[in-house]
């Protein structure tokens, strides 16, 4: 199956600093990638849709200036949490679907545990 | 708008017994249905999907799911549970037709606990 690699798997940062999370599709191209946030024992909340070569589409209530998304190539999307605060601590997961494949499932990264202290 | 309901927060079953994790959905058109499993601090792993064809879909690790259009359900099943099946299970739906991209809508998740 297709592989999505997410890095880092965990990160601890100080309040006020920024953190970048990378999501790479290793063996396929993805025009679109998705970023989710998951709170403990809860479902995935879609934050934004990352579109290669254009601006990301954010879900209602998600601050686009806080969560910067860049999708510079067909295999890489990045999520930068800017001026992180403790309430940003969460589990962040990306996913991607191979370009042009209509009936396929989405493939997920391993997730990133962000802890802001 | 599409939605998914997983009515059980947790399902408990003894090892060796059959298990069922329930899922119902709502979409405006024909659905693409998926089951994913998540282990602690990990991403989601794909188990199986229904796109079209046979209503009984077989997937990874011995899991299967039955698509029931009249009941708008897609329950996950396994004939004999293993302790290692203990994890968080998510049902998801995607509308078709595919329009450039389609977002997945997830249920809230069901924790499966298999006791020895």
């Amino acid at each position: 199956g297709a592989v999505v690699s997410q890095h880092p798997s965990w990160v601890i940062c100080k309040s006020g600093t920024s953190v970048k999370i990378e999501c790479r599709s290793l063996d396929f191209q993805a025009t679109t990638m998705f970023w989710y946030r998951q709170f403990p024992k809860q479902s995935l909340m879609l934050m934004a849709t990352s579109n290669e070569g254009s601006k990301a589409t954010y879900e209602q209530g998600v601050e686009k200036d806080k969560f910067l998304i860049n999708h510079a190539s067909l295999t890489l999307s990045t999520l930068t949490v800017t001026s992180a605060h403790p309430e940003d601590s969460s589990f962040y997961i990306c996913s991607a679907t191979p370009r042009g494949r209509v009936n396929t499932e989405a493939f997920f990264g391993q997730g990133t545990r962000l802890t802001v202290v | 708008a599409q939605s998914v309901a997983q009515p059980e927060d947790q399902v408990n079953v003894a090892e060796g017994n059959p298990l069922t994790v329930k899922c119902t959905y709502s979409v405006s058109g024909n659905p693409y249905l998926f089951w994913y499993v998540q282990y602690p601090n990990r991403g989601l792993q794909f188990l199986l999907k229904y796109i079209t064809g046979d209503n009984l879909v077989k997937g990874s690790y011995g899991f299967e799911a039955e698509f029931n259009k009249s009941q708008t359900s897609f329950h996950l099943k396994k004939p004999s549970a293993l302790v290692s099946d203990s994890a968080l299970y998510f049902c998801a739906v995607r509308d078709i037709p595919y329009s450039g991209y389609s977002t997945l809508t997830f249920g809230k998740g069901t924790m499966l606990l298999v006791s020895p």
Side-chain angles (χ1 to χ4, degrees), chain A residues 32 34 36 38 42-44 46 49 51 57 91 93 102-106 108-111 113, chain B residues 32 34 36 38 41-44 46 49 51 88 90 94 98 100-104 106-108:
Chain A
T32 304
F34 301 91
Y36 297 86
Q38 186 181 29
Q42 293 190 25
S43 189
L44 281 71
L46 179 65
T49 303
N51 304 298
T57 304
F91 194 59
I93 308 174
V102 178
N103 293 337
T104 191
E105 60 275 18
F108 288 81
Q110 308 95 312
R113 172 72 60 191
Chain B
Y32 283 176
F34 305 84
Y36 288 87
Q38 185 182 33
N41 291 311
R42 301 296 299 274
L44 273 65
F46 169 74
K49 65 183 176 184
I51 305 299
L88 187 58
F90 290 100
R94 192 173 78 201
Y98 188 78
Y101 68 87
S102 300
T103 56
L104 279 173
F106 287 90
K108 64 179 181 179

Side-chain angles (χ1 to χ4, degrees), chain A residues 15-75:
Chain A
S15 280
T17 61
S18 295
V19 174
K20 180 185 284 188
I21 303 170
E22 292 188 348
C23 180
R24 293 180 184 273
S25 54
L26 297 185
D27 49 3
F28 65 94
Q29 294 181 331
T31 308
T32 304
M33 292 184 175
F34 301 91
W35 287 96
Y36 297 86
R37 182 173 180 176
Q38 186 181 29
F39 293 100
K41 297 185 179 181
Q42 293 190 25
S43 189
L44 281 71
M45 180 191 77
L46 179 65
M47 298 175 63
T49 303
S50 173
N51 304 298
E52 188 268 335
S54 65
K55 292 182 179 180
T57 304
Y58 290 83
E59 296 300 301
Q60 190 173 8
V62 178
E63 299 177 61
K64 61 181 181 181
D65 295 330
K66 174 93 176 152
F67 299 99
L68 299 179
I69 291 173
N70 184 281
H71 194 150
S73 77
L74 288 171
T75 60

Side-chain angles (χ1 to χ4, degrees), chain B residues 25-84:
Chain B
Y25 66 90
S26 174
V27 296
S28 56
N30 291 319
Y32 283 176
L33 293 159
F34 305 84
W35 275 102
Y36 288 87
V37 60
Q38 185 182 33
Y39 295 97
N41 291 311
R42 301 296 299 274
L44 273 65
Q45 295 179 32
F46 169 74
L47 281 179
L48 50 80
K49 65 183 176 184
Y50 172 82
I51 305 299
T52 187
D54 290 340
N55 290 341
L56 184 63
V57 178
K58 293 187 182 298
S60 306
Y61 312 119
F63 284 94
E64 58 189 30
E66 186 167 10
F67 171 65
N68 187 317
K69 188 173 183 178
S70 62
Q71 297 185 5
T72 61
S73 67
F74 190 57
H75 301 329
L76 181 70
K77 299 181 180 182
K78 187 173 183 180
S80 179
L82 299 172
V83 173
S84 57

Side-chain angles (χ1 to χ4, degrees), chain A residues 70-115:
Chain A
N70 184 281
H71 194 150
S73 77
L74 288 171
T75 60
L76 174 64
S77 175
T78 61
L79 168 67
T80 301
V81 183
T82 63
S83 186
H85 292 285
E87 57 265 30
D88 298 325
S89 299
S90 193
F91 194 59
Y92 294 88
I93 308 174
C94 70
S95 78
T97 302
R99 183 174 66 161
R101 290 173 58 181
V102 178
N103 293 337
T104 191
E105 60 275 18
F107 298 95
F108 288 81
Q110 308 95 312
T112 298
R113 172 72 60 191
L114 171 63
T115 302

